[in-house]
């Protein structure tokens, strides 16, 4: 995971998304502990409050839970919930604008699908 102070996204959101990516990738499996805010602040050289804000966002969204005095753990079902969250964001952020632009350029759905398949084949 890498945090970029030059990025337009706030550091705590970059941290949250990085931890989400790690959960999706299986780096932090369900029911396992994630690094503490102290560890995260030390590793990434950020303010502990910033690290806490990123981690607490995961708790607030229901992907992680706190065990008092022990730490923060990935909730059972978190990967599936994160997948649904990211799929909805993908549709909103990428697919709908793509379709809107395609309509403006008079590009058919069939062409879009063909181009996606061609790009996918070229990537393999």
């Amino acid at each position: 995971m890498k945090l970029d102070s030059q990025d337009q996204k706030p550091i705590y959101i970059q941290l949250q998304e990085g931890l989400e990516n790690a959960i999706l990738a299986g780096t932090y499996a369900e029911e396992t502990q994630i690094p503490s805010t102290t560890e995260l602040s030390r590793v990434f050289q950020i303010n502990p409050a910033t690290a806490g804000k990123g981690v607490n966002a995961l708790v607030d969204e229901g992907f992680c839970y706190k065990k008092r005095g022990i730490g923060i753990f990935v909730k059972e079902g978190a990967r599936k919930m994160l997948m649904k969250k990211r799929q909805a964001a993908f549709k909103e952020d990428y697919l709908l604008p793509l379709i809107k632009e395609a309509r403006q350029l008079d590009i058919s759905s069939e062409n879009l699908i063909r181009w996606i398949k061609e790009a996918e084949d070229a990537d393999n």
Side-chain angles (χ1 to χ4, degrees), residues 31-39 55 65-74:
E31 298 301 327
T32 63
Q33 190 171 4
I34 64 171
S36 69
T37 55
T38 304
E39 279 181 87
V55 169
Y65 64 93
K66 295 179 181 181
K67 282 188 180 179
R68 192 175 188 156
I70 299 175
I72 298 177
F73 291 77
V74 178

Side-chain angles (χ1 to χ4, degrees), residues 14-25:
Q14 292 179 50
L15 179 63
Q16 175 188 356
E17 289 175 351
L19 290 169
E20 287 177 359
N21 289 340
I23 292 168
L24 285 170

Side-chain angles (χ1 to χ4, degrees), residues 12-108:
Y12 80 93
I13 291 177
Q14 292 179 50
L15 179 63
Q16 175 188 356
E17 289 175 351
L19 290 169
E20 287 177 359
N21 289 340
I23 292 168
L24 285 170
T27 304
Y28 302 118
E30 295 177 358
E31 298 301 327
T32 63
Q33 190 171 4
I34 64 171
S36 69
T37 55
T38 304
E39 279 181 87
L40 292 167
S41 65
R42 189 179 66 248
V43 168
F44 295 109
Q45 298 179 340
I46 59 175
N47 186 305
T50 301
K53 195 170 179 181
V55 169
N56 284 332
L58 293 174
V59 173
D60 293 344
E61 290 189 44
F63 304 125
C64 293
Y65 64 93
K66 295 179 181 181
K67 282 188 180 179
R68 192 175 188 156
I70 299 175
I72 298 177
F73 291 77
V74 178
K75 187 176 181 179
E76 186 174 331
R79 187 174 187 284
K80 186 175 181 178
M81 290 187 310
L82 275 168
M83 197 75 75
K84 283 184 179 184
K85 173 189 171 183
R86 292 286 184 89
Q87 288 172 353
F90 179 84
K91 179 181 177 184
E92 187 71 29
D93 297 343
Y94 297 101
L95 189 57
L96 296 179
L98 173 80
I99 292 168
K100 182 179 178 181
E101 183 71 10
R103 282 187 184 139
Q104 289 179 342
L105 298 173
D106 198 26
I107 300 170
S108 69

Side-chain angles (χ1 to χ4, degrees), residues 104-115:
Q104 289 179 342
L105 298 173
D106 198 26
I107 300 170
S108 69
S109 298
E110 292 78 17
N111 271 345
L112 284 176
I113 292 167
R114 183 171 45 85
W115 291 346

